[in-house]
């Protein structure tokens, strides 16, 4: 939101012209100069694409000291649930926005306007701007035409106004079955814009609504209700993503005609479109995400592999990292796919200087220091925030070196390549924050599997020893004392889809999750686990809010230290 994007220019121009100055609501109170809205349908959990819209609508309202309404467009009761409403509210609050304006709740529902929209529709019918059609959906679609073929008028298009009005009232009373009648706007079946060829604006749905219950059996369509709701809420700028650009002429048609009927006053709301946020290797469609859940490919809406805000939150992404991403990609009118690594880099940028570091061995193999006494314990220290100049000298952690330790399997090689500088037979490395060791032999079982690695350490090579530079090594490896290690479960995530621009037909990445039994340095226990950490050399990790317990700690890797590489 820092750059002077085209949406800011529009607002600045409106403020300069005083377009929305001194407006009054229906109670005679002065309205804010800028009112935006975020209007999700409560038919699923919010995803990262919605996060961009949230930052735009709530962010611009905050910047210009206006307000942003959260409006639930609950006009389709078949797919909507209270569960989704709760997630939407929690997600917006988590991203850092207040859902109050002047100490009052700033949450609205399309269903609260059903009576007003019904009465408005009666007026449209009365003034010959809408009619009752008896064609079914397939017939309407067939006669609608195509981009190269004009539409065909409904046989009911010139039905007498009074007849349409009476039928609409009977629809309201539940006299007709689903799909038997509908209300269509009366515009132009020959219009080059298909969306203006008498679109359906009301349909019959005998179904329970989570909020209005069985009070209504007819529901306005989203494209029809939306401009009316904007006008009822005195919205100044109706910002939405580019897929709604084709609907803008109908949005304007609705408001223009309702102005002529003296239902609304000028200035009327205006719609502006921006590009949506599409991330590579993910699906940002609630319908498609539902399919992944239904097919048990993921555990639920908050699965850490999903781009839902709940999933990203459980994975460990921070509100600031998502904001950084939105600022990096900017606000444009060109749809494109954003590389997932930009999101990962945004998280690293946020966390690098403010989360503590610890050592964790993900895939352990035993290492024995032969010349260290069995019961000897050596104290080691390390900075918890090595890149934070304020905390660097203040925050140190203590951990213990003993005869038996764990190191990473990948840090040892029996047959090292020329560019392998970690531990191998006869080679020296430094145990991070501690001593230099040299590998002397290997224990194996009958199947040639390594059971333990034997080393010796050099007592005067401690990292804090003045003679430390006497020994030349090319690598540091991390480690954990076997005696004092904390057992933890670690979950490593990768993309669900290898295809950068996936669809539901693409194969699922079988390595999208890997569960490991790992070991942490003792420091982890002192923090009570509930933090984000950088596991040195491994990445950023957070405790899993669903599966984690003090007795059985579970950690999710948010991102590795380097960009993900497929396995």
């Amino acid at each position: 939101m820092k750059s002077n994007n085209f949406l800011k220019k529009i607002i600045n121009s409106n403020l300069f012209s005083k377009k929305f100055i001194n407006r009054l609501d229906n109670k005679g109170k002065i309205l804010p100069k800028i009112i935006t809205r975020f209007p999700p349908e409560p038919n699923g959990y919010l995803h990262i694409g919605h996060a961009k819209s949230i930052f735009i609508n709530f962010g611009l309202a905050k910047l210009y000291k206006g307000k942003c309404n959260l409006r639930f467009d609950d006009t389709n009761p078949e797919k909507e649930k209270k569960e989704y409403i709760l997630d939407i509210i929690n997600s917006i609050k988590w991203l850092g926005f207040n859902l109050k304006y002047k100490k009052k709740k700033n949450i609205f529902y399309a269903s609260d306007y059903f009576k007003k929209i019904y009465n408005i529709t009666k007026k449209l019918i009365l003034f010959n701007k809408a009619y009752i059609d008896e064609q079914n959906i397939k017939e309407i679609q067939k006669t609608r035409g195509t981009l190269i073929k004009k539409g065909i008028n409904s046989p009911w298009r010139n039905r007498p106004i009074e007849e349409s009005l009476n039928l609409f009232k009977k629809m309201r009373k539940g006299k007709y079955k689903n799909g038997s009648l509908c209300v269509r706007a009366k515009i132009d079946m020959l219009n080059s814009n298909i969306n203006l060829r008498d679109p359906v604006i009301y349909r019959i749905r005998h179904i329970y609504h989570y909020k209005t219950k069985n009070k209504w059996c007819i529901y306005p369509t989203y494209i029809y209700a939306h401009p009316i709701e904007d006008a009822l809420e005195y919205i100044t700028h109706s910002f939405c993503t580019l897929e709604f650009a084709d609907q803008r002429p109908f949005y304007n048609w609705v408001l223009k005609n309702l102005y002529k009927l003296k239902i609304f006053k000028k200035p009327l709301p205006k719609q502006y479109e921006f590009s949506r946020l599409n991330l590579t290797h993910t699906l940002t469609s609630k319908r498609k995400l539902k399919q992944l859940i239904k097919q048990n490919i993921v555990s639920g809406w908050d699965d850490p592999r999903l781009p839902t805000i709940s999933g990203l939150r459980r994975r460990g992404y921070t509100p600031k990292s998502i904001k950084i991403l939105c600022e990096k990609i900017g606000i444009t009118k060109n749809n494109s796919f954003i590389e997932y690594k930009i999101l990962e880099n945004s998280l690293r940028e946020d966390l690098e200087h403010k989360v503590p570091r610890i050592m964790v061995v993900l895939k352990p193999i035993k290492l024995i220091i032969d010349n260290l006494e069995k019961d000897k314990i050596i104290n080691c220290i390390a900075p918890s925030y090595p890149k934070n100049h304020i905390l660097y000298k203040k925050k140190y952690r203590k951990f213990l070196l003993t005869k038996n330790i764990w190191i990473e399997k990948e840090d040892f090689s029996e047959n090292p390549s020329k560019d392998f500088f970690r531990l191998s037979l006869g080679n020296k490395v430094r145990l991070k924050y501690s001593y230099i060791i040299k590998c002397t032999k290997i224990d194996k079982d009958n199947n040639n599997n390594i059971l333990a690695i034997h080393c010796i350490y050099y007592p005067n090579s401690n990292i804090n020893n003045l003679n430390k530079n006497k020994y030349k090594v090319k690598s540091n490896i991390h480690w954990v004392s076997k005696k004092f290690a904390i057992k933890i479960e670690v979950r490593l995530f990768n993309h669900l889809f290898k295809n950068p621009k996936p669809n539901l037909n693409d194969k699922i990445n079988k390595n999208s999750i890997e569960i490991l039994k790992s070991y942490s340095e003792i420091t982890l226990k002192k923090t009570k686990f509930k933090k984000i950490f950088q596991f040195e050399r491994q990445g950023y990790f957070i405790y899993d809010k669903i599966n984690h317990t003090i007795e059985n700690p579970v950690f999710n890797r948010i991102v590795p230290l380097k960009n993900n590489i497929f396995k």
Side-chain angles (χ1 to χ4, degrees), residues 351-359 381-397 399 432-433 521 523 532-537 539-540 561:
L351 296 184
E352 183 176 13
H353 298 281
K354 67 183 186 184
V355 302
R357 299 190 181 186
I358 60 171
M359 291 195 293
I381 62 170
S384 295
Y385 301 86
K387 290 198 175 183
N388 187 318
H389 69 280
I390 296 174
L391 297 177
Y392 178 76
K393 293 183 178 180
K394 295 180 180 179
K395 298 287 184 178
Y396 274 83
R397 65 190 200 270
F399 46 95
K432 200 163 189 185
Y433 307 119
E521 68 177 65
T523 308
I532 295 179
F533 299 90
Q534 186 195 112
F535 290 1
E536 297 203 28
R537 296 178 64 215
Y540 293 96
L561 292 181

Side-chain angles (χ1 to χ4, degrees), residues 233-345:
E233 294 176 12
Y234 306 99
I235 301 301
T236 59
H237 300 81
S238 186
F239 297 133
C240 56
T241 46
L242 280 171
E243 62 262 37
F244 295 101
D246 289 343
Q247 295 292 349
R248 191 185 341 126
F250 180 63
Y251 181 99
N252 294 336
W253 181 91
V254 172
L255 294 179
K256 180 182 177 181
N257 280 281
L258 296 184
Y259 167 74
K260 287 180 179 179
L261 296 177
K262 298 183 180 181
I263 294 171
F264 297 125
K265 297 178 182 180
K266 287 186 177 180
L268 297 166
K270 192 169 181 180
Q271 178 177 304
Y272 303 93
E273 304 87 22
F274 58 88
S275 60
R276 63 178 292 162
L277 199 169
N278 295 306
L279 273 184
T280 57
H281 305 288
T282 64
L283 295 172
T284 49
S285 158
K286 285 187 281 188
R287 178 181 60 82
K288 293 177 181 178
L289 293 174
K290 278 182 181 178
Q291 286 297 313
L292 294 177
I293 295 167
K294 190 176 180 180
Q295 295 169 17
N296 293 318
I297 292 170
V298 294
S299 59
W301 286 101
D302 66 344
D303 190 292
R305 292 166 292 176
L306 292 184
T308 57
I309 295 177
S310 290
L312 292 168
R313 184 179 183 180
R314 182 178 169 191
R315 174 83 169 258
Y317 279 93
T318 61
K320 186 175 180 180
S321 67
I322 297 173
K323 184 179 181 181
I324 290 171
L325 170 71
C326 293
E327 289 177 346
K328 283 181 177 179
I329 63 177
I331 302 172
T332 69
K333 291 186 178 182
N334 300 311
N335 275 332
S336 61
F337 274 83
I338 305 303
E339 291 286 342
Y340 198 93
K341 65 183 179 182
I342 298 177
L343 173 60
E344 294 183 328
N345 287 335

Side-chain angles (χ1 to χ4, degrees), residues 341-530:
K341 65 183 179 182
I342 298 177
L343 173 60
E344 294 183 328
N345 287 335
S346 298
L347 189 280
R348 296 183 189 107
E349 186 177 328
D350 180 33
L351 296 184
E352 183 176 13
H353 298 281
K354 67 183 186 184
V355 302
R357 299 190 181 186
I358 60 171
M359 291 195 293
V360 174
V361 175
L362 298 184
K363 298 179 181 179
I365 188 170
K366 186 178 177 181
L367 185 146
I368 303 169
I369 304 174
D370 289 327
N371 61 332
L372 189 64
E373 293 88 337
K374 182 179 180 181
D375 297 323
K376 187 170 183 178
I377 298 173
I378 300 174
N379 290 312
C380 301
I381 62 170
S384 295
Y385 301 86
K387 290 198 175 183
N388 187 318
H389 69 280
I390 296 174
L391 297 177
Y392 178 76
K393 293 183 178 180
K394 295 180 180 179
K395 298 287 184 178
Y396 274 83
R397 65 190 200 270
K398 296 178 181 180
F399 46 95
L400 306 169
L401 177 67
T402 53
K403 185 178 185 68
N404 297 321
I405 63 174
W406 298 113
I407 67 167
E408 292 286 352
K409 284 184 178 179
E410 65 176 24
D411 282 342
F412 177 79
S413 176
E414 286 186 87
N415 302 296
S417 60
K418 290 182 179 180
D419 58 352
F420 185 85
F421 300 116
R422 284 166 279 177
L423 194 60
S424 58
L425 275 170
N427 190 36
K428 298 187 187 75
V429 297
R430 179 178 292 283
L431 295 177
K432 200 163 189 185
Y433 307 119
S434 185
Y435 295 88
I436 288 172
I437 58 172
K438 178 181 179 180
C439 180
T440 55
K441 65 177 182 177
I442 307 166
D443 292 339
K444 292 186 176 184
D445 63 16
N446 294 332
N447 295 318
N448 207 37
N449 297 311
I450 296 176
L451 297 174
I453 300 165
H454 289 264
C455 291
I456 59 169
Y457 87 108
Y458 297 89
N460 62 344
S461 66
N462 186 283
I463 190 68
N464 298 314
N465 194 296
L466 293 175
N467 296 316
K468 64 180 180 181
N469 293 327
K470 176 181 176 181
Y471 303 93
K472 302 294 181 182
V473 293
K474 293 184 177 180
S475 183
N476 285 274
I477 63 172
H478 63 281
W479 55 277
V480 172
S481 164
K482 186 174 182 293
K483 183 176 181 179
F484 296 103
I486 306 296
K487 290 182 180 180
I488 64 173
E489 180 181 300
V490 171
R491 299 180 176 196
L492 307 181
F493 299 104
N494 211 320
H495 302 311
L496 271 175
F497 300 96
K498 292 187 177 182
N499 183 356
K501 299 178 181 180
N503 57 61
L504 282 174
N505 297 323
D506 289 330
K507 288 184 178 179
I508 299 297
N509 175 23
K510 293 180 180 179
N511 296 311
S512 65
I513 182 170
E514 184 179 7
I515 299 176
L516 306 173
K517 297 300 180 184
S518 307
Y519 293 100
S520 161
E521 68 177 65
I522 197 169
T523 308
L524 189 63
K525 191 173 185 179
K526 297 176 182 178
T527 66
K528 297 183 179 179
F529 306 107
K530 293 193 174 182

